[in-house]
Amino acid sequence: AQSEYDGAAQLYALRVEADQASANKIMTQAHQAAMEGDTETWKDLSGQATILAKQAEGFAATAREYHGMAHRLRNAAIALQGDGGKAAALAAWGANPMNELPPEYLYPFTVAPPIALTETGATHSLLTKGKQ
């Protein structure tokens, strides 16, 4: 949801830029009409520019709200992920409070040669194969 709010906020911000640019162009035409003495066109164009500028302000406010919501959702997701890790640790502690390895993870092995070889002094064929 955070990315949807963030994407919508960016689209509203783009719309704000476009509407403000259009409002400025229309207002420029309105001023030109006023300088030429065409008050009817001036009233019409200045009214359109004012409406478009107010619309851009509304979109800017919506973009700020959506960006704020995306920020709050991002922070909430981070907090929930942290809480999830804490809950998993607590659940694991309940099952294994000493944090011991389960038997299936233990593999018995020896790093010394078998006792039979050390007591008799004999060597195994695999140990002497490359030493001839």
Side-chain angles (χ1 to χ4, degrees), residues 19-128:
D19 284 359
Q20 285 176 338
S22 295
N24 289 339
K25 288 179 185 177
I26 293 171
M27 189 56 81
T28 301
Q29 292 173 350
H31 289 308
Q32 181 67 33
M35 287 179 14
E36 293 174 357
D38 189 356
T39 57
E40 188 65 32
T41 304
W42 174 79
K43 286 180 185 178
D44 184 40
L45 291 177
S46 64
Q48 289 177 18
T50 303
I51 290 170
L52 199 55
K54 286 181 182 178
Q55 179 178 314
E57 289 173 11
F59 284 149
T62 303
R64 284 189 297 274
E65 289 173 15
Y66 277 28
H67 182 70
M69 178 59 74
H71 185 68
R72 286 191 296 277
L73 287 172
R74 183 174 29 255
N75 290 341
I78 291 170
L80 288 174
Q81 287 173 347
D83 290 346
K86 291 174 189 173
L90 182 62
W93 181 84
N96 185 4
M98 299 301 289
N99 199 22
E100 297 172 345
L101 288 175
E104 59 267 16
Y105 290 144
L106 299 176
Y107 297 102
F109 65 93
T110 181
V111 293
I115 293 177
L117 294 177
T118 57
E119 289 178 352
T120 62
T123 59
H124 192 275
S125 63
L126 289 176
L127 296 175
T128 59

